[in-house]
Structures are given as C-alpha cells and as structure tokens.
Amino acid sequence: MKSYELEAVDYLLKPIDPQRLEKAIDKAVLYTGLLSKDTVKNTVESNTADFLFIKAERRFYKISFSDIKFIEGLKDYVVIHTRQQKLITAMNLKTIHQKISGENFIRVSKSYVVNGDYIDSFDNHNIYIEDSEIPLGEVYRTEFLQNLPEVF
C-alpha cells in the first residue's frame, strides 16, 4: 500500500523481465509528460446516457461510453483510454466511475475501471485489454468475478 503514498506509476515483480521494465519506463515517461503540461485544468463537463464531454488540452472531447476501453486513476487525475486516444483530466477515479453509466464498467482495483466489452482475457492477478495489463486488486476480485456473466 505504500506505493499509493509514494504515487507509484507502476510496479515490477522479481525477476524483472526486460520487456516489462521497458513498458514500465514508457508508462512513466508518458504520464510525466501528460502531468507536466501546463494545460492540465481538465474536467468532465457533462454527460448523457451514451457519452460525456471531457475538457482536456484546452478542448472539449465527446467520448462515447462504448469507446472507453478502461480508465486509469493517477493521483488527482484520470487517464481515459479510448479506442482512438488517451485523454487526461483532473478528477479522481471514483467521481468518473459514478458519471459513466452501464453495467459494463467495473472497478477492478484502486486505480482502474475497465469496460467489460474490451476484456480479452484475465487470470487471478491481471486483466488483459489488447496490449494493456491491468492489475486485478484482491479487494475487487470477488465483485469482478460475480459480475462476469453480466459483462460477457
């Protein structure tokens, strides 16, 4: 749990796989770049039954719920991973999870909400969506497994 206090971006398990290390470094570089922009005053402006508007990078983006693959919490921001792009907005994961509707969005850890439509596979510790490996938190595992019939 100290990783949350230290605001860790990723974690590695020993023995460290060089490809996994490279992925963690790329993620850290991406998030450092996103957070260092001086245009980070972003918010969820509004939402309807099928989409929401996100203010990011001085623009408003219309995001269809069906385009969201997963949402990643990062300190006081969330990174919304869609089919086309990644958008960062200033809010916490709990707030955006409440704003998106539908049974397909499942909280799977303290830092992630996933859209069940995009889950390719999973095991006891991770969920895989395309090239992304999302940790499945112990606290959220039971709820995730109970909601599987609804999601799939």
PDB file of all heavy atoms in Angstrom, residues 89-105:
ATOM      1  N   THR A  89      -7.620  14.011 -17.498  1.00  0.00           N
ATOM      2  CA  THR A  89      -8.473  15.046 -16.942  1.00  0.00           C
ATOM      3  C   THR A  89      -8.316  15.074 -15.426  1.00  0.00           C
ATOM      4  O   THR A  89      -8.014  14.044 -14.821  1.00  0.00           O
ATOM      5  CB  THR A  89      -9.947  14.842 -17.364  1.00  0.00           C
ATOM      6  OG1 THR A  89     -10.700  15.978 -17.016  1.00  0.00           O
ATOM      7  CG2 THR A  89     -10.535  13.604 -16.768  1.00  0.00           C
ATOM      8  N   ALA A  90      -8.502  16.243 -14.852  1.00  0.00           N
ATOM      9  CA  ALA A  90      -8.308  16.416 -13.411  1.00  0.00           C
ATOM     10  C   ALA A  90      -9.563  15.995 -12.650  1.00  0.00           C
ATOM     11  O   ALA A  90     -10.525  16.739 -12.572  1.00  0.00           O
ATOM     12  CB  ALA A  90      -7.968  17.871 -13.106  1.00  0.00           C
ATOM     13  N   MET A  91      -9.564  14.800 -12.130  1.00  0.00           N
ATOM     14  CA  MET A  91     -10.615  14.294 -11.244  1.00  0.00           C
ATOM     15  C   MET A  91     -10.166  12.949 -10.710  1.00  0.00           C
ATOM     16  O   MET A  91      -9.207  12.375 -11.209  1.00  0.00           O
ATOM     17  CB  MET A  91     -11.961  14.187 -11.958  1.00  0.00           C
ATOM     18  CG  MET A  91     -12.069  13.051 -12.929  1.00  0.00           C
ATOM     19  SD  MET A  91     -13.734  12.716 -13.480  1.00  0.00           S
ATOM     20  CE  MET A  91     -14.470  14.291 -13.478  1.00  0.00           C
ATOM     21  N   ASN A  92     -10.857  12.464  -9.713  1.00  0.00           N
ATOM     22  CA  ASN A  92     -10.452  11.161  -9.195  1.00  0.00           C
ATOM     23  C   ASN A  92     -11.281  10.053  -9.845  1.00  0.00           C
ATOM     24  O   ASN A  92     -12.296  10.299 -10.478  1.00  0.00           O
ATOM     25  CB  ASN A  92     -10.520  11.111  -7.661  1.00  0.00           C
ATOM     26  CG  ASN A  92     -11.912  11.265  -7.125  1.00  0.00           C
ATOM     27  OD1 ASN A  92     -12.873  10.713  -7.660  1.00  0.00           O
ATOM     28  ND2 ASN A  92     -12.045  12.015  -6.043  1.00  0.00           N
ATOM     29  N   LEU A  93     -10.818   8.838  -9.670  1.00  0.00           N
ATOM     30  CA  LEU A  93     -11.427   7.683 -10.327  1.00  0.00           C
ATOM     31  C   LEU A  93     -12.852   7.432  -9.847  1.00  0.00           C
ATOM     32  O   LEU A  93     -13.727   7.090 -10.638  1.00  0.00           O
ATOM     33  CB  LEU A  93     -10.550   6.452 -10.097  1.00  0.00           C
ATOM     34  CG  LEU A  93     -10.854   5.229 -10.937  1.00  0.00           C
ATOM     35  CD1 LEU A  93     -10.675   5.525 -12.418  1.00  0.00           C
ATOM     36  CD2 LEU A  93      -9.955   4.078 -10.535  1.00  0.00           C
ATOM     37  N   LYS A  94     -13.100   7.644  -8.569  1.00  0.00           N
ATOM     38  CA  LYS A  94     -14.436   7.411  -8.020  1.00  0.00           C
ATOM     39  C   LYS A  94     -15.470   8.337  -8.678  1.00  0.00           C
ATOM     40  O   LYS A  94     -16.566   7.910  -9.035  1.00  0.00           O
ATOM     41  CB  LYS A  94     -14.424   7.633  -6.511  1.00  0.00           C
ATOM     42  CG  LYS A  94     -15.746   7.373  -5.847  1.00  0.00           C
ATOM     43  CD  LYS A  94     -15.657   7.578  -4.349  1.00  0.00           C
ATOM     44  CE  LYS A  94     -17.003   7.316  -3.695  1.00  0.00           C
ATOM     45  NZ  LYS A  94     -16.927   7.536  -2.246  1.00  0.00           N
ATOM     46  N   THR A  95     -15.113   9.586  -8.882  1.00  0.00           N
ATOM     47  CA  THR A  95     -16.030  10.559  -9.478  1.00  0.00           C
ATOM     48  C   THR A  95     -16.391  10.178 -10.908  1.00  0.00           C
ATOM     49  O   THR A  95     -17.565  10.184 -11.279  1.00  0.00           O
ATOM     50  CB  THR A  95     -15.404  11.972  -9.455  1.00  0.00           C
ATOM     51  OG1 THR A  95     -15.090  12.306  -8.104  1.00  0.00           O
ATOM     52  CG2 THR A  95     -16.353  12.994 -10.030  1.00  0.00           C
ATOM     53  N   ILE A  96     -15.399   9.836 -11.715  1.00  0.00           N
ATOM     54  CA  ILE A  96     -15.715   9.499 -13.113  1.00  0.00           C
ATOM     55  C   ILE A  96     -16.461   8.174 -13.197  1.00  0.00           C
ATOM     56  O   ILE A  96     -17.336   8.004 -14.040  1.00  0.00           O
ATOM     57  CB  ILE A  96     -14.467   9.522 -14.019  1.00  0.00           C
ATOM     58  CG1 ILE A  96     -14.917   9.554 -15.490  1.00  0.00           C
ATOM     59  CG2 ILE A  96     -13.553   8.367 -13.738  1.00  0.00           C
ATOM     60  CD1 ILE A  96     -13.885   9.990 -16.452  1.00  0.00           C
ATOM     61  N   HIS A  97     -16.152   7.236 -12.289  1.00  0.00           N
ATOM     62  CA  HIS A  97     -16.869   5.965 -12.298  1.00  0.00           C
ATOM     63  C   HIS A  97     -18.352   6.185 -12.016  1.00  0.00           C
ATOM     64  O   HIS A  97     -19.216   5.517 -12.581  1.00  0.00           O
ATOM     65  CB  HIS A  97     -16.254   5.003 -11.283  1.00  0.00           C
ATOM     66  CG  HIS A  97     -16.791   3.615 -11.364  1.00  0.00           C
ATOM     67  ND1 HIS A  97     -16.889   2.800 -10.272  1.00  0.00           N
ATOM     68  CD2 HIS A  97     -17.266   2.879 -12.407  1.00  0.00           C
ATOM     69  CE1 HIS A  97     -17.395   1.633 -10.637  1.00  0.00           C
ATOM     70  NE2 HIS A  97     -17.640   1.658 -11.919  1.00  0.00           N
ATOM     71  N   GLN A  98     -18.665   7.144 -11.160  1.00  0.00           N
ATOM     72  CA  GLN A  98     -20.065   7.462 -10.872  1.00  0.00           C
ATOM     73  C   GLN A  98     -20.745   8.128 -12.064  1.00  0.00           C
ATOM     74  O   GLN A  98     -21.945   7.987 -12.258  1.00  0.00           O
ATOM     75  CB  GLN A  98     -20.158   8.374  -9.646  1.00  0.00           C
ATOM     76  CG  GLN A  98     -19.785   7.673  -8.364  1.00  0.00           C
ATOM     77  CD  GLN A  98     -19.658   8.627  -7.182  1.00  0.00           C
ATOM     78  OE1 GLN A  98     -19.613   9.830  -7.343  1.00  0.00           O
ATOM     79  NE2 GLN A  98     -19.595   8.065  -5.992  1.00  0.00           N
ATOM     80  N   LYS A  99     -19.981   8.852 -12.887  1.00  0.00           N
ATOM     81  CA  LYS A  99     -20.563   9.576 -14.016  1.00  0.00           C
ATOM     82  C   LYS A  99     -20.835   8.687 -15.229  1.00  0.00           C
ATOM     83  O   LYS A  99     -21.688   9.004 -16.034  1.00  0.00           O
ATOM     84  CB  LYS A  99     -19.657  10.736 -14.430  1.00  0.00           C
ATOM     85  CG  LYS A  99     -19.653  11.864 -13.405  1.00  0.00           C
ATOM     86  CD  LYS A  99     -18.933  13.050 -13.952  1.00  0.00           C
ATOM     87  CE  LYS A  99     -18.959  14.197 -12.982  1.00  0.00           C
ATOM     88  NZ  LYS A  99     -20.243  14.841 -12.870  1.00  0.00           N
ATOM     89  N   ILE A 100     -20.077   7.611 -15.369  1.00  0.00           N
ATOM     90  CA  ILE A 100     -20.296   6.734 -16.520  1.00  0.00           C
ATOM     91  C   ILE A 100     -21.351   5.703 -16.145  1.00  0.00           C
ATOM     92  O   ILE A 100     -21.328   5.137 -15.076  1.00  0.00           O
ATOM     93  CB  ILE A 100     -18.994   6.079 -17.024  1.00  0.00           C
ATOM     94  CG1 ILE A 100     -18.295   5.319 -15.909  1.00  0.00           C
ATOM     95  CG2 ILE A 100     -18.070   7.116 -17.620  1.00  0.00           C
ATOM     96  CD1 ILE A 100     -17.035   4.634 -16.319  1.00  0.00           C
ATOM     97  N   SER A 101     -22.255   5.483 -17.046  1.00  0.00           N
ATOM     98  CA  SER A 101     -23.358   4.581 -16.726  1.00  0.00           C
ATOM     99  C   SER A 101     -23.139   3.206 -17.333  1.00  0.00           C
ATOM    100  O   SER A 101     -22.285   3.023 -18.177  1.00  0.00           O
ATOM    101  CB  SER A 101     -24.667   5.178 -17.235  1.00  0.00           C
ATOM    102  OG  SER A 101     -24.633   5.268 -18.639  1.00  0.00           O
ATOM    103  N   GLY A 102     -23.932   2.278 -16.906  1.00  0.00           N
ATOM    104  CA  GLY A 102     -23.907   0.946 -17.508  1.00  0.00           C
ATOM    105  C   GLY A 102     -23.213  -0.079 -16.649  1.00  0.00           C
ATOM    106  O   GLY A 102     -22.341   0.229 -15.850  1.00  0.00           O
ATOM    107  N   GLU A 103     -23.614  -1.296 -16.832  1.00  0.00           N
ATOM    108  CA  GLU A 103     -23.050  -2.409 -16.085  1.00  0.00           C
ATOM    109  C   GLU A 103     -21.689  -2.826 -16.610  1.00  0.00           C
ATOM    110  O   GLU A 103     -20.983  -3.574 -15.967  1.00  0.00           O
ATOM    111  CB  GLU A 103     -23.995  -3.609 -16.165  1.00  0.00           C
ATOM    112  CG  GLU A 103     -25.358  -3.337 -15.597  1.00  0.00           C
ATOM    113  CD  GLU A 103     -26.331  -4.448 -15.930  1.00  0.00           C
ATOM    114  OE1 GLU A 103     -25.994  -5.341 -16.715  1.00  0.00           O
ATOM    115  OE2 GLU A 103     -27.445  -4.408 -15.395  1.00  0.00           O
ATOM    116  N   ASN A 104     -21.298  -2.369 -17.786  1.00  0.00           N
ATOM    117  CA  ASN A 104     -20.051  -2.808 -18.382  1.00  0.00           C
ATOM    118  C   ASN A 104     -18.817  -2.236 -17.703  1.00  0.00           C
ATOM    119  O   ASN A 104     -17.727  -2.745 -17.882  1.00  0.00           O
ATOM    120  CB  ASN A 104     -20.015  -2.456 -19.870  1.00  0.00           C
ATOM    121  CG  ASN A 104     -20.919  -3.350 -20.664  1.00  0.00           C
ATOM    122  OD1 ASN A 104     -21.391  -4.363 -20.170  1.00  0.00           O
ATOM    123  ND2 ASN A 104     -21.177  -2.995 -21.899  1.00  0.00           N
ATOM    124  N   PHE A 105     -18.959  -1.154 -16.948  1.00  0.00           N
ATOM    125  CA  PHE A 105     -17.804  -0.538 -16.296  1.00  0.00           C
ATOM    126  C   PHE A 105     -17.651  -1.097 -14.890  1.00  0.00           C
ATOM    127  O   PHE A 105     -18.517  -0.932 -14.049  1.00  0.00           O
ATOM    128  CB  PHE A 105     -17.944   0.980 -16.272  1.00  0.00           C
ATOM    129  CG  PHE A 105     -17.813   1.583 -17.631  1.00  0.00           C
ATOM    130  CD1 PHE A 105     -18.942   1.907 -18.358  1.00  0.00           C
ATOM    131  CD2 PHE A 105     -16.572   1.799 -18.201  1.00  0.00           C
ATOM    132  CE1 PHE A 105     -18.832   2.457 -19.619  1.00  0.00           C
ATOM    133  CE2 PHE A 105     -16.448   2.340 -19.465  1.00  0.00           C
ATOM    134  CZ  PHE A 105     -17.589   2.671 -20.181  1.00  0.00           C
TER     135      PHE A 105
END
